[in-house]
Each structure stands twice: as C-alpha cells, then as structure tokens.
Amino acid sequence: MDRFYVTTPIYYVNAKPHLGHAYTTIVADSMRRFQRLLGKDTYFLTGTDEHGDKIVQAAEKAGVSPKDFVDGVSGQFRDLWPHLGVEYDQFIRTTDPEHKKVVQAFLQRVYDSGDIYFGEYGGHYCYGCERFYTEKELENGLCPQHQVKPEYIAEKNYFFRMSKYQGWLKQHILDNPDFIRPERYRNEVLSMLDSGALEDLCISRPKSRLTWGIELPFDTDYVCYVWFDALLNYVSALGWPDGDRFANYWPGVQHLVAKDILKPHAVFWPTMLKAAGLEPYNNLNVHGYWLVRDTKMSKSLGNVVSPLEMIDRYGLNAFRYFLLREMHFGSDASFSEEALVGRLNADLANDLGNLYSRVLSMTAKYFGGVVPAPGAYTEEDETLRALAAEAQRNFCNLFGRVRFSNALESLWELVRALNKYVDSAAPWTLFKQGDTKRLGTVMYTLLESMRKVAVHLLPVMPEAATSMLAQLGLEVNVDAVDLGNEAETWGGLQPGTTVAGASNLFPRVELVREKDEPAEVASSKGKSADGAGTAKNAKPAAVAPAPAASPAEDAGVIDFEDFQKVDIRMGTVVAVERHPNADKLLRVEVDLGEEKPRQIVAGLAAYFSPEQLQGRQVAVVANLAPRKLRGLESQGMILAVRQGEGMELVSVSGPVSPGSKVS
RNA sequence: GGCGGCGUAGCUCAGCUGGUCAGAGCGGGGAUCUCAUAAGUCCCAGGUCGGAGGUUCGAGUCCUCCCGCCGCCA
C-alpha cells in the first residue's frame, strides 16, 4: 500500500495562531484527506516548537515558567485545529521526552561520524533573531531585522559541517526537479548553493547563556540550538530510528512550509539527513504569504486576520474553500472579506449550492425524491460525461501537484457544465411532455455527476461534501472511496436511492463589517448600523447595498467618513539619524504612545538636522501602509509644509500626549 | 551590488518548447429560461500583452537595454 506522510512546520509558540498557521495546516489536512481518498495509508503531523531564548523571554514577561508558558500556548494551537476541520494524527512538541531522546541520538550519530566539530565563534548576537550576525550583515551596526544594536559575543560552540554536503545537495536538486516546489523556490535554493561555499551551521548554545533547550549528548555544558532540535521533529514523531512508523512513512514525506523558512528546510535539513545517513524527504512544498491590503499582517497595523472569527462569520466550509481557491500555491495572495464573500456567493451559493437545490427539488417533484434509473444516453449526455471525466482527471492531477486553486477551477468547469446541462435538457419541459424515460436519464446524469463533485470536494470541505453526499442519500466511507477511479467510472449512485427534497447548502451572505472598519464595498453611503455580528445568511429582507457612487466623490470632494480613514496622530520624536543609504532621508523614531516607537523614514534631511527634530512633537499619518525606503521600513508619514525652498513641520499650539488623534 | 521572479481586460490570474494567444473567472452592461439560493443560461470588455530596440516569413511567447514592483544572496 502506498503511503503518504505530510507535515506542517512546528509552530513557534511565541505568538497565537493566525491566518498563516491556519492556511498551512488546512492545506496539510486537505492533502492528507485527498491522498487517503486515493487509497493511501496516510500520516499527518503538526505540532509546536518550544525551545529558545524568545520563549524564555516571553515566559518571563508573562511571569510564568517556560514550561508553563509553552504548555499554555501549545494548547491554544492544539485546540484550534478541530475548529478548522483539521484532523491530524500526531501533535508533537519539542519538549516531549521522546523528541529529546531522538535529537540526542541524531546529534550523537552525526558527531560520531565526524560532521560536528567544536570551534570558536565570535559574532554580533541579536536576541530578537536568536542568531549571530557578521560585520558585513549589520546595517549601520544594527541588526537588519530589528534595528537594534546586537551584543558582541565570542564563545566556543559546536558546528555542523554543512559545507561538506553542498555538492551532493545541489546534484540532488538537479536530479529531482520536484524536490522543492514550486519552481521559483527551487531556483532560489540553487542560487544559494551557487553563491559560494555554505557556512557551517552553529548548532549549540552554552548553558551559561541558554538552558531552555536540549542538552548535547557529547557535552553537558551546551544545549542544542534551534535547527537540530526543531527539524528533527519530522523524524522523531515517527520514532526514528526504530519502529514501524519510521519504516513505513519515511522518506515518503511531503513537507509544507511558508517561504520564510525555505532555507532551513531546503538546505539545512537535507544535509542533516544526509550526514546522519537518512534518505532526504520526497518534496518540500513552499507557499507564500497572505497579505491584507497589500501588506503583511502585523499586530501594529491591526490587520491580523483571526481564523476563528472568519469561520464564525462565514462558516468553515467557505473559509477552507476560499483559502485553497484564492491562493495560487507558492505566490502571495490577498485576504479580504470581500473576496471571501465573493467566492462564497459566486462559487458556492450560485454555482454549487444552487445546482444542488434545483436538481434535488426537481427530483422530488418529478420522481418523489427517488433516484430514477437512466435509460439510453444521448450524445449530449455523453458529451457531458466526457467533460466530467476530464474535469475529474484534471482535478486529481492538479491537486496532487499542490495546485489547489487550479484543481478547484477544473472542478468548477464541471459544476458550470451541469448548470448548463440543466438549462439545455430542460427537465421541466420533459416533465410536461410526460417523457419520463428521457427525464429519468437526465436527472440520473445530473445526480450522479453531482455525487462526483461532492466526492472530489471531500478533502477541501469535508463537512459540506459530507452533507452533499447525505442529501444524495449516501454515507461517506472514506475507505470505500476510490477517488483516482471516479473519472473512469459511472453509476456510483444507485437508482432507487432516496434523496433530499430540498437543499440550502451555502446561503448567500452579505459582507459583515466591523463598526470602525473602513467601508470597502461599493456602498459609499454610510455603514450599516448593525456593524459586527453574524453573517446575515437568512434570506436578506433588505436589498443588497446600493452601488451608486456618491455625487460628492465625483466633484473631488470627500465625505467625512473618507477623511476619518486617515489616522493622523501627534507623536514625539525620540530618535533621529541620517539614513545610511540616502542623503535626503532621515530615519526617525516617533513615540505614538504604542508599545514601541514607530520607525518612519522621512525626506527631511535637507531641511532639518537630526538635532533639530529630536524631542519635537510632529503630526504623523499612522495608518499608512508600511513601505521600504532605501532598505528601511517606514511605518508612517510625518506631515510637513513646503515653503518655497524650505519645509516647515506641522505642529500643535501646546504639548499633547504621544498618540493623540488629530481630528 | 549580484542572481531570480513578476509587470496581460476594473479585479484575480491562464497563456509549456514562437505561427486561431489576445484568453478564463469575478465585477459591470444587455437579453432570456423558470427547476432553483433575487440563483441558471446566453451576448457584450475594443486591453499599444510595462517601455524601447532587435532576431524571424511571423513574438505576450526568444535576445538586448530601460522603467516599476517583489524575493533571495552579498
């Protein structure tokens, strides 16, 4: 029996689960459901990564022990997944005793083979990044990620001789075109491997600096540092080096990661496996980010999408469908409730839900809700069946190659064709004519095709697809489904089966909006007063929002509400320096009363010296999308007035507290 | 700075090895069936395929340069 093993990354527990976690995990869940329907023996692993400096710091901040802290956050992840329809086989934690043992065994094996050595390391250590930087990597003496001054630390550490396997890895990637997919990331990795010798990987931290980690088996003064701990979860979960699970599921594994951890998975991990004498994984599947209003989600922007909230508003099925349909695997995609609602209404309600509704209703009316036996198939029927078979083949082929969006697109070609078939076959006419024979064939063709659609949707929308099949009088038996053969077979639905008399699988919804959220739909006339709440999916009594553009907009005049979208706040300049890479720009830190000051890159260098700005109160557009200017991210804009050749800052008549809103 | 990717209809994107490649879905406009969830079906988009050159009988599709985004590396 073919086997299929899929993993998500183990999620670092310094933050709560967000949309990105949800996407990766739902994809993994769908892949595993898909492969199971193909008849494979599947295993699905997810979990949490719980060691390291940042955890210790976060725990201190929360006033609890690291162990209590990670227990708490890890629990949040584990509790989330059932709400997303995710059924994993194992939830691993890097603090599990079994995992620790495997890490130590693996380290010992690589150590014994001579690929781990003790060496001196001096470097600039950034606690935020949990890593060292070389002089060259620092920007202006600061960590390029966090813009803080790292600490110089010289110490002895253990290193993994990664460079030794560089040539092997490159050849392996060249020999296996799908090893890293999509191709863009494969290219990226190849260019990493071509851009010079890999540096050996530092894999330890002295206990004097970090104790929250796994002790090295060959030196009790050290703990293991991140990758030899975290990545090992993929094999420790299987009980390596012993046991049936490892023998069964390795190396037939599909890793699933977001692009931010490409290098560890594409370079470190295969070379680590090679050094320990293990086979490399089958495929590394790399996806992009979900963007909100063209920007990465971040807490400071307040645009973090909560998976549970979306499910609460629009339902699990729509959410899962949207994630898989909207993102082209590998590329970044935009998340918006408008788009979600659009997919839900257009694809699920109008096309699919309505298909079920109309066909089941006709079956009830014409055949008392019992599946009729088909008679002779006409050319039109055969054409539809050929199209259906093609759509199913394409779906499976694409889905297996992680092209979920295209796969669903293929399936919807069938859904649309079925709606078209209803119109052209016009069962209501056949009924009036009393042509029961032909009517039976048409209805059977529809019902059987709808069954096929439902079966293919089981991996994506398990709940909805199960309901669909139930409406067709069928129970889902995962082991009995042979998805790979559905395209080649016909007649899975037995005549005589009693089906539902009505169906309302995906009610149309209106966009639900938060009270303070900017209006983003066509309606420019005020927001609905009821604001937040649940989706109004019952038959909307009110008419859909009127689209007409307000006359004010046409005249270049804006509504008060439009003005309100601009969040202008007063802030205090707490730090200023010249931009390292641009002579017209200043890097300014402005205190807006938030957790930490905003970094703003301003084109003021020609008019003000850093000293002149220091301590001043300035007006800042606080909700401008962040943007990189010459390598530094600017998180807002300082308002100023151009006067001839000069420039004057907008100021207030008296001191105000940082973060005060201008209105 | 080096390498890579992207820039195609309002939006999201297909277009592999050059010759029905100027497309799909959504949105918008029009028509129409009536079984159905104000759903379905049909018709309509006159987009210089980022810009400029070049190769070719022929180029979104190959080459060069430029512009704008993005990523990786340094």
Side-chain angles (χ1 to χ4, degrees):
Chain A
M1 183 183 238
D2 272 356
R3 295 196 170 80
F4 179 84
Y5 172 36
V6 64
T7 70
T8 73
I10 42 174
Y11 301 118
Y12 204 53
V13 291
N14 63 344
K16 291 182 179 180
H18 55 63
L19 181 62
H21 299 118
Y23 175 73
T24 312
T25 313
I26 286 173
V27 167
D29 182 66
S30 298
M31 286 171 73
R32 112 66 151 278
R33 288 175 189 272
F34 175 75
Q35 295 292 340
R36 189 165 55 191
L37 292 176
L38 290 179
K40 291 192 186 164
D41 173 10
T42 60
Y43 200 74
F44 171 14
L45 174 72
T46 187
T48 44
D49 182 10
E50 309 185 2
H51 288 128
D53 286 343
K54 278 191 277 193
I55 301 299
V56 176
Q57 288 162 9
E60 275 171 13
K61 207 172 160 187
V64 297
S65 72
K67 177 62 179 159
D68 287 345
F69 181 80
V70 298
D71 284 350
V73 185
S74 179
Q76 286 185 20
F77 276 88
R78 193 173 12 198
D79 293 344
L80 173 64
W81 301 138
H83 295 287
L84 301 187
V86 169
E87 287 176 8
Y88 52 79
D89 289 296
Q90 186 178 350
F91 187 97
I92 192 171
R93 304 177 55 183
T94 53
T95 50
D96 289 338
E98 298 78 16
H99 174 72
K100 294 182 183 179
K101 270 170 53 189
V102 168
V103 167
Q104 291 181 326
F106 193 98
L107 281 165
Q108 188 68 52
R109 183 186 280 208
V110 178
Y111 183 75
D112 290 343
S113 72
D115 285 334
I116 288 176
Y117 62 92
F118 197 46
E120 168 124 346
Y121 195 95
H124 305 270
Y125 187 76
C126 170
Y127 286 92
C129 303
E130 271 193 5
R131 59 161 288 194
F132 284 97
Y133 282 97
T134 61
E135 294 279 357
K136 281 192 300 185
E137 286 173 317
L138 297 178
E139 288 177 4
N140 235 10
L142 302 177
C143 157
Q145 289 292 317
H146 294 80
Q147 301 297 325
V148 297
K149 189 169 170 57
E151 188 175 339
Y152 186 83
I153 297 175
E155 64 188 22
K156 292 225 158 200
N157 263 313
Y158 287 89
F159 291 84
F160 167 51
R161 219 180 286 282
M162 194 157 69
S163 49
K164 178 174 165 186
Y165 300 100
Q166 182 167 358
W168 165 80
L169 177 59
K170 184 180 173 186
Q171 196 55 47
H172 185 77
I173 294 172
L174 292 174
D175 293 342
N176 299 276
D178 277 342
F179 185 60
I180 298 162
R181 61 189 179 187
E183 193 177 4
R184 55 200 309 177
Y185 298 110
R186 174 179 187 259
N187 292 340
E188 221 161 79
V189 173
L190 282 173
S191 95
M192 288 178 205
L193 295 176
D194 281 334
S195 62
L198 289 175
E199 276 190 44
D200 288 344
L201 193 63
C202 183
I203 62 161
S204 67
R205 289 292 178 272
K207 279 191 181 171
S208 56
R209 212 147 59 68
L210 177 69
T211 55
W212 185 241
I214 299 173
E215 189 176 273
L216 296 186
F218 40 81
D219 190 337
T220 56
D221 290 334
Y222 286 84
V223 295
C224 178
Y225 164 71
V226 61
W227 299 115
F228 264 78
D229 174 358
L231 291 169
L232 263 292
N233 90 87
Y234 300 132
V235 296
S236 76
L238 300 181
W240 179 85
D242 310 308
D244 290 341
R245 287 210 309 278
F246 183 77
N248 286 342
Y249 296 113
W250 197 268
V253 51
Q254 301 286 330
H255 291 312
L256 205 51
V257 298
K259 64 184 181 182
D260 57 333
I261 44 174
L262 173 63
K263 190 172 183 179
H265 283 81
V267 179
F268 303 171
W269 183 223
T271 54
M272 286 161 60
L273 288 166
K274 181 71 178 169
L278 275 72
E279 291 290 308
Y281 51 78
N282 258 12
N283 298 282
L284 177 64
N285 304 287
V286 187
H287 71 255
Y289 294 142
W290 282 98
L291 308 177
V292 174
R293 279 173 221 139
D294 293 330
T295 317
K296 260 187 87 169
M297 281 181 283
S298 79
K299 274 188 224 161
S300 61
L301 285 169
N303 63 354
V304 176
V305 174
S306 155
L308 286 178
E309 203 168 312
M310 292 303 109
I311 289 171
D312 196 39
R313 289 183 187 180
Y314 305 108
L316 174 59
N317 293 296
F319 183 65
R320 287 179 62 121
Y321 173 79
F322 176 79
L323 292 185
L324 292 200
R325 178 65 182 84
E326 193 74 2
M327 177 175 269
H328 290 85
F329 193 87
S331 307
D332 292 350
S334 292
F335 186 94
S336 73
E337 289 187 50
E338 293 90 310
L340 173 49
V341 168
R343 287 284 180 205
L344 172 51
N345 285 339
D347 296 358
L348 297 181
N350 294 355
D351 289 350
L352 179 61
N354 187 47
L355 173 68
Y356 263 71
S357 176
R358 64 200 304 210
V359 173
L360 288 173
S361 162
M362 285 190 278
T363 308
K365 205 172 291 184
Y366 306 148
F367 291 100
V370 175
V371 178
Y377 291 107
T378 66
E379 196 178 325
E380 184 183 16
D381 305 338
E382 297 294 355
T383 304
L384 177 71
R385 282 171 53 178
L387 187 150
E390 185 66 13
Q392 293 172 83
R393 277 191 290 266
N394 289 338
F395 176 90
C396 289
N397 182 22
L398 290 162
F399 206 96
R401 290 187 291 140
V402 301
R403 296 177 57 176
F404 312 110
S405 180
N406 296 316
L408 288 166
E409 203 176 356
S410 292
L411 197 61
W412 251 254
E413 284 174 21
L414 172 56
V415 172
R416 287 196 202 89
L418 290 170
N419 273 318
K420 197 171 298 189
Y421 177 82
V422 172
D423 278 26
S424 67
W428 47 89
T429 304
L430 296 172
F431 180 67
K432 282 175 198 154
Q433 293 168 345
D435 190 350
T436 312
K437 190 93 181 153
R438 177 63 192 147
L439 183 58
T441 306
V442 168
M443 295 312 294
Y444 183 84
T445 301
L446 284 165
L447 290 162
E448 168 67 357
S449 300
M450 283 156 56
R451 185 191 63 81
K452 290 185 176 297
V453 171
V455 169
H456 285 79
L457 286 174
L458 278 168
V460 180
M461 301 187 284
E463 287 181 355
T466 302
S467 301
M468 290 159 73
L469 291 167
Q471 292 183 350
L472 295 174
L474 299 168
E475 272 183 51
V476 179
N477 180 353
V478 168
D479 297 324
V481 174
D482 186 1
L483 196 62
N485 266 324
E486 274 295 336
E488 320 306 331
T489 57
W490 182 261
L493 185 61
Q494 295 301 318
T497 307
T498 301
V499 300
S503 171
N504 192 18
L505 289 163
F506 304 102
R508 290 176 59 83
V509 302
E510 290 179 56
L511 186 63
V512 178
R513 234 175 291 138
E514 293 281 3
K515 207 168 60 201
D516 290 333
E517 212 170 14
E520 284 180 343
V521 259
S523 139
S524 59
K525 296 284 191 189
K527 310 157 192 174
S528 58
D530 51 0
T534 52
K536 289 186 274 182
N537 41 13
K539 296 220 174 182
V543 192
S550 90
E553 279 178 5
D554 300 334
V557 176
I558 61 170
D559 289 338
F560 178 65
E561 283 153 8
D562 287 327
F563 166 72
Q564 274 193 316
K565 289 181 188 171
V566 186
D567 185 17
I568 305 175
R569 291 178 185 275
M570 295 306 297
T572 305
V573 175
V574 294
V576 195
E577 64 182 7
R578 298 194 178 279
H579 193 301
N581 302 320
D583 34 16
K584 289 185 182 167
L585 300 179
L586 292 177
R587 190 184 81 81
V588 186
E589 286 183 26
V590 182
D591 177 7
L592 288 178
E594 297 169 320
E595 244 177 59
K596 53 181 193 176
R598 292 277 189 105
Q599 167 171 290
I600 296 177
V601 179
L604 297 173
Y607 312 101
F608 298 96
S609 68
E611 293 73 28
Q612 285 174 303
L613 288 179
Q614 182 72 36
R616 282 192 69 124
Q617 292 214 299
V618 292
V620 172
V621 180
N623 61 345
L624 204 58
R627 184 176 166 171
K628 267 198 174 177
L629 294 174
R630 289 267 169 168
L632 285 184
E633 185 176 86
S634 183
Q635 301 159 341
M637 179 175 132
I638 296 177
L639 297 180
V641 183
R642 188 176 293 280
Q643 276 298 298
E645 300 294 312
M647 190 77 91
E648 295 295 336
L649 292 171
V650 174
S651 64
V652 285
S653 54
V656 296
S657 53
S660 301
K661 188 163 167 56
V662 177
S663 57

